[in-house]
């Protein structure tokens, strides 16, 4: 009796161990193998348990995912499944065309690649120019953005948003041309800003090879349309009338009503939807002079000749490109003299200047060659506080100003000497500092507080005292050089070129790892005012990138550097190696960092 009870207890334990699935003899695994080993060791999916099937399916999914090889194309990336047993085709190395090889945010005139030089097609003078003109609020900027495939020009319902000339590039059927967008022209308006817009439009029309006049197809012919047509007919250049806002075929029939303006070439288009734009470009390119710019096929052939797959890929952040153009953004509050400074630097009347705050809305750029180097100055709109910007055009102009700031190499922070450094000036300077741009502080209107001050009884401002006040308000920009100028009288403007060239050179300076390690041995880190719990030991450090200079510190702890320690280390690096005018970034890598599997 006792033996039978003992056998029953043993059988119960075995059934409990096997589970409900294997209490029957037909599904019970063979002797000598555990249930887990029997389930997962099945060679076929049909022989495995539900848990084993999941593991086999997971392995198959992992094998398929591993077989997927990323293939990169010039436009996009896609994934293709490659059969493991099939021979892999030889992957061709993609080499970016000359206009895609960027130096900063503009292509270089000559880029050294594989021991050869690639000439860049950077808007040469041989490219024909197409001008877009018309009265305000007819869709010129929308058509400009459609043709250039960018959002370069600000678009809104408010008339008169575009004021200065905006240049871009359009490509059609393998042929390239330059495109210029002008402000809305009202010839009879003698006010300051409308007259300046008309002057800017006249400059664009004089240098254009073909003109596209845009009218609003939803409205009747207006007096400004008639007056503009008369001015264009006198120019004797090829003129094409684009009747905009023609979204449907039924409405497009009304475009013939605009033939009374005296133009033979009339094209119903919709700049917002792209309807009829192809017919317009076919007609415009038919009268343009032949361009010396190589076609895409010739560029690809040139790329194949100079490409050497054995050469390593060049990286912009590693300082391996020769910098041929420096992009400088002129930033500041409204009405501090940014447009006047652009005209003084370029020696032209490129931007509209008026005492009205907020005159500049679109970013205006101009290239100046000086000392064998190209400087691209970009005049941005005055940056205001979010609570002060109510109109949509002002909000978009502030957004575009910050966008151009982040795309530049150097920022000229313009300050009004008559008002001093304000809280808004400090905020704008913070935008440049946080984005890693090199900064040059420009104190404009210096003559208004010295030689040309209104109150002659009081002494003029002292430059040394004023500089100390600026440094006191902009403590985080202690590395930025300070220049005192008068843009209206072109006083001390050459100093801006010198400082920009020096700052751009320091921005791309590289220090070897050996020099940095010798520098670490000389620094006494005990002088850094850092809490003991936040102190780190630096084993060695190296410069990982330039523009801005970025240093990687290999430490004993994977923690963020204390701000006092970071400031102390930055001051020591500047004292030893310079880096004038550019911020310095630090990254840490600790030995106790957990490796994520």
């Amino acid at each position: 009796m006792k033996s039978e009870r003992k056998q029953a207890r043993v059988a119960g334990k075995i059934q409990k161990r096997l589970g409900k699935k294997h209490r029957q003899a037909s599904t019970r695994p063979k002797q000598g193998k555990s249930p887990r080993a029997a389930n997962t060791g099945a060679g076929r999916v049909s022989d495995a348990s539900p848990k084993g099937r999941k593991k086999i399916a997971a392995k198959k999914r992992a094998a398929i995912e591993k077989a997927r090889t990323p293939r990169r194309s010039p436009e996009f990336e896609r994934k293709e499944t490659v059969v493991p047993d099939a021979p892999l085709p030889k992957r061709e190395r993609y080499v970016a065309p000359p206009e895609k090889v960027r130096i900063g945010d503009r292509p270089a005139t000559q880029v050294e690649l594989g021991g050869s030089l690639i000439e860049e097609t950077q808007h040469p003078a041989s490219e024909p120019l197409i001008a877009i003109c018309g009265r305000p609020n007819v869709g010129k900027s929308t058509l400009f953005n459609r043709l250039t495939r960018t959002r370069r020009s600000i678009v809104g319902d408010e008339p008169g948003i575009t004021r200065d000339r905006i240049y871009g590039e359009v490509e059609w059927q393998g042929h390239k041309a330059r495109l210029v967008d002008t402000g809305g022209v009202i010839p009879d308006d003698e006010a300051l800003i409308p007259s300046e817009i008309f002057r800017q439009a006249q400059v664009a029309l004089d240098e254009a090879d073909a003109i596209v006049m845009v009218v609003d197809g939803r409205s009747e012919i207006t007096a400004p349309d008639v007056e503009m047509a008369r001015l264009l007919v006198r120019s004797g250049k090829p003129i094409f009338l684009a009747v905009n806002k023609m979204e449907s075929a039924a409405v497009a029939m009304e475009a013939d009503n605009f033939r009374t303006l005296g133009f033979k070439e009339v094209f119903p288009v919709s700049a917002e939807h792209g309807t009829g734009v192809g017919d317009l470009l076919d007609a415009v390119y038919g009268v343009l002079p032949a361009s010396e710019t190589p076609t895409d096929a010739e560029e690809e052939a040139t790329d194949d000749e100079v490409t050497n797959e054995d050469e390593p890929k060049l990286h912009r952040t590693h300082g391996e490109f020769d910098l041929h153009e420096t992009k400088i953004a002129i930033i500041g509050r409204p009405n501090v003299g940014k447009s006047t400074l652009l005209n003084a630097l370029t020696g032209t009347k490129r931007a509209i200047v008026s005492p009205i705050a907020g005159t500049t809305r679109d970013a205006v750029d101009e290239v100046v060659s000086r000392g064998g180097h190209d400087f691209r100055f970009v005049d941005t709109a005055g940056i205001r506080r979010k609570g002060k910007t109510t109109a949509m055009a002002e909000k978009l102009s502030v957004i575009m100003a910050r966008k151009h700031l982040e795309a530049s190499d150097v920022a000229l922070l313009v300050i009004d000497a008559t008002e001093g450094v304000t809280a808004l000036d400090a905020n704008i300077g913070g935008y440049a500092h946080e984005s890693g741009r090199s900064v040059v502080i420009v104190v404009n209107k210096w003559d208004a507080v010295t030689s040309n001050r209104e109150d002659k009884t009081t002494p003029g401002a002292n430059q040394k005292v004023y500089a100390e006040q600026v440094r006191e308000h902009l403590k985080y920009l202690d590395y930025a050089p300070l220049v005192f100028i008068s843009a209206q009288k072109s006083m001390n403007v050459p100093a801006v070129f010198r400082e920009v060239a020096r700052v751009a050179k320091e921005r791309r300076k590289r220090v070897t790892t050996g020099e940095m390690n010798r520098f670490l041995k000389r620094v006494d880190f005990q002088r850094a005012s850092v809490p003991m719990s936040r102190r780190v030991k630096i084993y060695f450090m190296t410069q990982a990138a330039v523009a801005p200079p970025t240093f990687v510190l290999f430490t004993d702890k994977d923690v963020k550097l204390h701000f006092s320690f970071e400031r102390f280390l930055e001051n020591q690096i500047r004292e030893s190696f310079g880096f004038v005018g550019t911020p310095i970034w630090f990254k840490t890598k600790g030995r106790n960092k957990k490796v994520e599997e």
Side-chain angles (χ1 to χ4, degrees), residues 7-8 80 101 122 140 180 185 267 273 281 291 313 319 348 358 450 467 502 506 560 572 586:
Q7 291 178 0
E80 298 177 352
V101 181
Q122 189 188 98
K140 300 183 299 298
V180 56
V185 176
F267 299 91
H273 300 89
L281 289 177
S291 175
K313 183 179 178 181
T348 60
T450 53
R502 182 164 71 106
E506 292 287 316
K560 190 178 184 300
Q572 296 296 320
F586 295 102

Side-chain angles (χ1 to χ4, degrees), residues 539-551:
Y539 296 109
F540 68 96
M541 63 186 298
T542 181
Q543 185 175 357
V546 298
T550 305
F551 295 91

Side-chain angles (χ1 to χ4, degrees), residues 403-424:
K403 181 179 178 181
H404 285 282
L405 168 63
E406 294 174 357
S408 63
D409 299 311
V410 182
L412 295 181
L413 178 59
V414 184
I415 297 174
D416 191 345
T418 60
E419 298 180 5
V421 181
T422 64
L424 185 55

Side-chain angles (χ1 to χ4, degrees), residues 413 415 421-422 425-427 429 441 469-478:
L413 178 59
I415 297 174
V421 181
T422 64
D425 291 325
N427 290 339
I441 303 174
Q469 294 176 355
V470 172
R471 298 295 185 189
E472 181 66 23
H473 288 84
L474 303 176
K475 293 182 178 180
Y476 60 93
L477 293 177
D478 56 348

